[in-house]
Amino acid sequence: RYNAVYGFDNNGKERSSMVNEYHKPQISLNHQWQIDHKSSLSTALYVSIGRGYGYSGQGRTSADRAMWNGSSNGKLLTTFRKADGTFDYGAIQDMNAASTTGSNMVMSKSVNNHMWYGLLSTYNNQITPNLELTAGVDVRYYVGEHTNEIIDLYGGQYFIDDGDRKNVKAENNIAAADPNWKYEKLSVGDVVYRDYDGHVLQEGLFGQAEYNKNKLSAFVSASVSNTAYWRYDRFYYDETHAKSETVNFWGFTVKGGANYNITDQQNVFVNVGTISRAPKFSNGAFMQSTSSNVINTDAKNEKIFSVEAGYGFKANWMNANLNAYYTRWTDKTMTKYGTLDNQTEFFMNMTGVNAIHKGIEIEATAKPFSWLDVNGMLSLGDWCWDSNAKGYIYSETGVALTIDGKHTEIKADDHAWASINLKDIKVGGSAQTTAMLGASIKPMKGLKISGECTYFGNKYAYYQFNGNNLSIGKEVNLLAPWKIPHACQVDINASYRFEIGNLKATLFGNINNLFDYQYISKAYN
């Protein structure tokens, strides 16, 4: 992934280089060749191994599965809760033991294993004393193994996963034609819900030219990449149909920036860039990546345009920075999968979901006395959704459908649709206004006492809208999220440096939320 915009900061220094942000390797081979006194070539081969899992409650029915949750749609679920609020696993064991059809609720281990393989080769050439060229190749391959294995039957003799297996189509998996498979009695170690591998292959070229002379520094960069996705499913498909179609998405970045040092104390900078990046694997390239090989034929690249400009001032006793930014996100992917009343499966891809983030940021540090440091910041943001989006439903093979499941022409009057209106609704989850004022004092040698007060405002409850919010044939209005009351927290810390013989030591401590101020840090709609 490339940074949305990178370039110069308020001190006129480069914020980042043209090297990709890739998964931190656990195993790597690196080599650098010095071609001549002006150019060099470096290459890194890396492998990154990830192994992880979590626990996932399963149920014979969707209602049983929901009982593992603490709440549903804002209401507490207390069926399996003790009076003190703790979870009543014993009640589940009693229910399962008394059942004549196996366990109603079991626990599974949700396994996620990851492997990254990559090559990053970078060529650097100091063409002139003022002009430097960087270019390279970036290739990486990823495979993620995702499965769920039963680990505890909770008092039952077996578990039947017909809630998931009933969705398996006989034309994709010959086992689904056998009722004995659908109602198979599963035990510890057997797979439920999902069992698939996700594959991603990325190839990219990048280049950057940097110019530095006197008071001016500038850069321009570009990259192009292809992302290929495919999946291999062992649960919903038999071996003949397990591998999906491979889909490819081309993306690019174009960026530029310049910094000018007005004086030794003042500088101005500007950065501008645009990105076109591949849709995500899940609910992007694939309509339902957990259980289906169905491709999203209408998937679009997400586009990002961003520009920022700033001013910096630095002196012996004070540094101050001011910058303004504007970012426009377009075509964020949203998909929906479901079944019509006549049991026809449908798929929907919603395009045109856009957002605008803009704001201004100020930060400053001052040292009025040798024993006193003062610092502060203010960030004023305005982040809103900027579109009303509409999508149409299609069959698995891409045929336009009516609300009755019949075939029709694309975007004809009877082509079933859904829309969501979210223009001018605030983006939730993060404070759009923040401020901080802090100070550090050094009353004696080795002792430092610091404190800061942080303000959070203009913050809205987090909400995650997706295909589940859409209703076929209806226009859904996204309501304004709840505005969280503003809050202010005071933290202090102190440290004392001293020596024990020849050993340097530091004693330190901190108190967060000094006044035990109670506030809402996060809320969900």
Side-chain angles (χ1 to χ4, degrees), residues 399-512:
V399 176
L401 298 176
T402 68
I403 198 167
D404 298 321
K406 298 178 181 178
H407 293 183
T408 185
E409 298 296 322
I410 295 177
K411 296 187 179 179
D413 291 340
D414 59 351
H415 190 179
W417 56 271
S419 68
I420 184 167
N421 298 329
L422 60 159
K423 185 173 175 60
D424 298 328
I425 298 297
K426 292 287 188 179
V427 175
S430 299
Q432 300 186 27
T433 298
T434 56
M436 185 275 293
L437 181 63
S440 297
I441 61 173
K442 301 173 183 176
M444 57 180 287
K445 183 179 179 180
L447 179 62
K448 181 179 179 180
I449 303 173
S450 303
E452 62 181 36
C453 178
T454 306
Y455 170 85
F456 306 93
N458 197 23
K459 184 175 182 178
Y460 297 83
Y462 175 81
Y463 53 91
Q464 183 178 13
F465 66 87
N466 53 41
N468 295 328
N469 303 118
L470 303 175
S471 297
I472 303 302
K474 294 184 178 180
E475 184 176 316
V476 175
N477 294 312
L478 183 66
L479 301 179
W482 179 60
K483 188 174 184 178
I484 300 173
H486 63 266
C488 189
Q489 177 175 311
V490 176
D491 304 324
I492 64 170
N493 63 80
S495 63
Y496 180 65
R497 296 187 176 186
F498 58 98
E499 293 184 359
I500 304 176
N502 294 325
L503 179 66
K504 294 182 178 180
T506 303
L507 179 67
F508 61 90
N510 63 79
I511 302 176
N512 293 329

Side-chain angles (χ1 to χ4, degrees), residues 7-9 216-219 256-260 267-272 308:
F8 300 99
D9 60 18
L216 177 65
S217 299
F219 80 93
N259 175 82
Y260 184 76
N267 74 289
V268 291
F269 72 91
V270 63
N271 298 306
V272 62
E308 66 172 344

Side-chain angles (χ1 to χ4, degrees), residues 81-149:
R81 294 281 168 176
K82 297 179 181 178
D84 62 358
T86 56
F87 204 84
D88 194 349
Y89 293 97
I92 295 178
Q93 289 181 310
D94 293 340
M95 174 187 65
N96 288 343
S99 173
T100 59
T101 57
S103 296
N104 292 321
M105 297 169 65
V106 300
M107 185 62 66
S108 68
K109 183 167 68 173
S110 181
V111 178
N112 297 280
N113 295 331
H114 305 271
M115 292 291 295
W116 274 106
Y117 309 89
L119 177 148
L120 181 65
S121 185
T122 304
Y123 171 76
N124 183 271
N125 192 336
Q126 190 72 44
I127 299 174
T128 71
N130 306 117
L131 181 62
E132 183 178 5
L133 174 67
T134 303
V137 177
D138 178 19
V139 180
R140 69 188 82 176
Y141 169 67
Y142 162 85
V143 57
E145 301 172 358
H146 309 285
T147 187
N148 274 52
E149 302 171 359

